Amino acid sequence: MFRHPDPLDAAAPDACADRLCEQGHVRLTPAALAALAHQPLDALLALGPHWRDLPPDAHLKDGGRYRRRRHGSYVQDTAAGTLVAVPHRAHWQPTTYNALHGGMLRWFDPLQPALAVAPALLDVMARLGDVFAQAARQLPPVAGEPVFDGRWSIEAHAFRIDTTGGVGRPTPEGAHRDGVAFVAVLLVDRQGVIGGETRVFEADGPRGVRFTLDQPWSALLLDDARVIHETTPIQPAEPGGWRDTLVLTYRAGGFQDPPAA
């Protein structure tokens, strides 16, 4: 098993980056995430109502109707200390990383304007980008992956997985990488569900950890080159149960786009 399975209660950027480099993942308590973002936890909790207004995901190839989502894209220059939204764009992954939904341009509705510019969201995104930048400078280059030059192309995915049909699948593609440098999975809230266990495994080895994110704004940070991850299905503990998450991906060298024809 990985060492340090317990989440960090205090989130100094150095501690986050060091642990991420050491084991390929790090968990943060809600208090730690808020401290890292220099935001009160109440400001993060106040973002939750935006997850009530997510349209259905029209691209699920398994025919499911259990996922709702929105999508936004940003560029962070960690040296200049800037984070800017870019024009709305499609989400694309190669089939090597997402065998179920890869190879197709997926247009999702954009993040709501108020959420897209919310200081709490932007501060979380920027401070995590700083942690990932620190880790990227410590880790050896990964063959075939873009070299970090101080800039992150960030995609923000707001998800609601519901149990209206009996079972909701947070990761219908199974255990996977996202094809980026780093990933942050933040639990916004969960109500009336059982299941949803997070599993993180070495990409090239047998070791892994299993736990459940169950506190609003607890977080999991991942080195996408070294680990694979998945979340098990959720089932209703009461009618209408759901699980809301914010997934942030950080990629060097620009956004993922289809190969040029």
Side-chain angles (χ1 to χ4, degrees):
M1 299 294 287
F2 288 112
R3 291 185 292 168
H4 307 304
D6 295 327
L8 286 176
D9 289 312
D14 289 351
C16 288
D18 289 347
R19 187 169 294 187
L20 192 57
C21 291
E22 176 189 352
Q23 62 185 27
H25 83 282
V26 59
R27 293 171 59 193
L28 302 177
T29 65
L33 179 68
L36 182 68
H38 303 297
Q39 285 281 343
L41 181 55
D42 284 349
L44 301 183
L45 295 171
L47 299 176
H50 291 288
W51 271 254
R52 300 172 190 164
D53 177 31
L54 302 181
D57 183 339
H59 299 284
L60 286 171
K61 284 189 174 180
D62 64 1
R65 299 182 179 179
Y66 51 81
R67 184 159 76 181
R68 296 173 172 270
R69 69 191 293 179
R70 289 181 182 270
H71 174 244
S73 302
Y74 300 78
V75 171
Q76 180 183 12
D77 186 327
T78 60
T82 59
L83 175 69
V84 296
V86 301
H88 192 52
R89 59 188 307 280
H91 175 55
W92 185 86
Q93 293 174 290
T95 55
T96 49
Y97 294 119
N98 190 329
L100 183 60
H101 296 116
M104 54 191 284
L105 286 170
R106 289 184 283 168
W107 285 97
F108 301 110
D109 283 16
L111 299 177
Q112 304 95 318
L115 177 61
V117 300
L121 173 68
L122 298 180
D123 283 348
V124 165
M125 200 179 304
R127 299 293 80 75
L128 290 177
D130 292 340
V131 169
F132 293 145
Q134 188 171 345
R137 295 185 181 103
Q138 297 178 41
L139 291 166
V142 178
E145 298 290 342
V147 176
F148 178 63
D149 64 356
R151 290 165 58 89
W152 291 127
S153 295
I154 304 171
E155 294 190 61
H157 304 266
F159 290 102
R160 169 163 286 191
I161 308 299
D162 69 46
T163 59
T164 302
V167 175
R169 295 176 175 84
T171 52
E173 64 272 40
H176 65 283
R177 289 181 56 208
D178 287 320
V180 297
F182 297 98
V183 179
V185 181
L186 300 91
L187 180 73
V188 176
D189 203 359
R190 53 181 281 159
Q191 295 289 333
V193 298
I194 57 176
E197 179 185 71
T198 296
R199 299 175 178 179
V200 182
F201 302 99
E202 292 176 325
D204 58 357
R207 296 183 299 173
V209 294
R210 301 164 56 166
F211 54 86
T212 300
L213 294 173
D214 55 9
Q215 294 180 291
W217 294 98
S218 53
L220 169 66
L221 314 185
L222 300 163
D223 178 347
D224 193 52
R226 289 195 290 153
V227 299
I228 57 176
H229 64 282
E230 66 177 337
T231 302
T232 63
I234 57 172
Q235 295 177 324
E238 57 189 56
W242 45 264
R243 179 180 185 265
D244 290 350
T245 55
L246 172 65
V247 176
L248 304 172
T249 64
Y250 294 72
R251 187 174 190 270
F255 293 100
Q256 292 190 101
D257 287 309

